[in-house]
Amino acid sequence: MALSFLSSSVHHPYSPTPPLVTTYRFSTTCCALQQAITPAPAPAPAPPTTTLTISSPTLPSPSSSSLSCALDCQHFQSCSGCTHEFNLHRPNILNDVTDFFKILGVDDFTFDTCRLYGWRCRAKLAVRGSSTNPLIGLYEEGTHNIVDIPFCRAHHPNINAAIGLLKQGIVKLDVEPYDEDEGTGELRYVQMAVTTHSTSLPAAERYLSGKVQVSLVWNSRNENSHSSEKLNALSNFLWRNGGPRSSFHLIHSVWGNFQTSTKNIIFGNRWRHLLGERDFWEHVGGVDISLAPSSFGQANTRAFDSLLRKLHTYVPYGASITDLYAGAGVIGLSLAVSRKCRSVRCVEINKESKLSFENTVSRLPKSIDSSISWHQADTSHEPFSWLVGSEVIVVDPPRKGLDPSLVDALQNLKSYKLKAKAFESSFLKDKDEKRPWILRAREASVQIESKTAQEITQSLPNTLIYISCGWESFKEDCRSLLSSNSWRLEKAHGFNFFPGTESIEVLAVFKRGPGVGLKKKKTGKKKKKQQ
């Protein structure tokens, strides 16, 4: 069976390229190329993704199959965003991934190829150059020279269109891009975030019709600087030419962010809503998710949705869940809805995520009868206090992996079991709590109580679900967990979150108790031969 989809080079009014589209057809086995250049048709719905069951770690050599899944991007030689241009559907890192899991006894590892082009729905880009020739893109590898990427194949088509519109505004209004050497200029960076959550459209049309939230990072301390008139003029230009009353509705909203730091940071602490809708919604994992421009959001929303739906299958109905490194609580809240969880605790160190969590909760179905809470806390401080009382732990750490103290707590659950009673309901019931990090977590928490009285337990988790964006750190954490004999690895799945790079997302499911190691398997085979 063949899969067909359109490349990301869909024509927009703000793109200088002619309205031509490259159409690719992929076979699920060899991705045979059938390419044709045709006049651009009306936007077509995105295709379903393909899931591969990896039976051999040997990847195909650059041949017809690799050429058919080629990046084919004119910016590849200079842009630092993508690291390879062939075999986008099977990055080279899969050799190591499949070997690693096979050694640990996971022979049914699967890899979801996901969407190969136009997948990026969130991009942070530097603005440099001049007011007559603005450059908007990424740094060249190892330098601070900006590579202009107006035709990026990874970007959602509407991000490229919004960049084109922004460039027109910069030139027309004589906006000065930032000069790092001098610390001068007005526009430093821009964040483009696409929402495809438009319930007024049929589901099949929502992706390519996504609207762009534009966040302009302005080189000033606040909105009252001498250049604030230019910021307002630029935001008005974007809204007038890309807003709902324009000939092509492209822009969801415009925000301003203000910072003058000489350090290598993008956002400052001060935000201002300028035009358009204030609330930014996306639908993933079966729930409507609210994301502020300052919140972390997955760049590949479709791949993230696939991962969440796979994750749901490993959580029992009615379970008690703790979601660590939770951000705005997307994972935990999606489980509350899909698995009717008894309780969900979301723990996140970044206080900026609190408002997004509260907005998301406001749209949960009224039928949800769960005890739901969000806590601003550092999981590295007494992590066992977050493990007790939950049957399932979900961790989604940054690229560096789990905090060492959390790994230690997970390794030593047997010894901690004796302490479980002392921790029972301490977070909610103990009025004499003295630990400052627990007190701060209480003060910054959000509590939504269940309509039904919930029994507070001192149970310890039997399932650990690890979502990883850093392969090397995951391998280290995985070895540590298995070496303690407290956990065994049961399932693993990969997702192609970043086609064109050597980065994949891994979903791994661990269960309490020792696993059957490689040595035990070999011993069993020898016994059979002796018989």
Side-chain angles (χ1 to χ4, degrees), residues 227-248:
S227 62
S228 60
E229 289 185 4
K230 273 195 180 181
L231 172 61
N232 290 329
L234 183 57
S235 63
N236 285 325
F237 176 89
L238 293 172
W239 192 246
R240 185 170 59 253
N241 292 280
R245 295 186 179 181
S246 65
S247 58
F248 179 66

Side-chain angles (χ1 to χ4, degrees), residues 21-24 34-38:
V21 173
T22 304
T23 303
Y24 296 93
Q34 298 178 19
Q35 177 176 333
I37 304 298
T38 60

Side-chain angles (χ1 to χ4, degrees), residues 195-233:
T195 172
T196 61
H197 184 256
S198 177
T199 55
S200 62
L201 292 173
E205 299 177 15
R206 292 174 191 172
Y207 191 81
L208 287 181
S209 300
K211 302 299 182 285
V212 185
Q213 179 193 69
V214 181
S215 297
L216 305 170
V217 182
W218 209 249
N219 188 34
S220 66
R221 293 184 182 276
N222 54 53
E223 60 269 38
N224 298 318
S225 68
H226 67 280
S227 62
S228 60
E229 289 185 4
K230 273 195 180 181
L231 172 61
N232 290 329

Side-chain angles (χ1 to χ4, degrees), residues 227 320 419:
S227 62
S320 55
K419 302 178 183 179

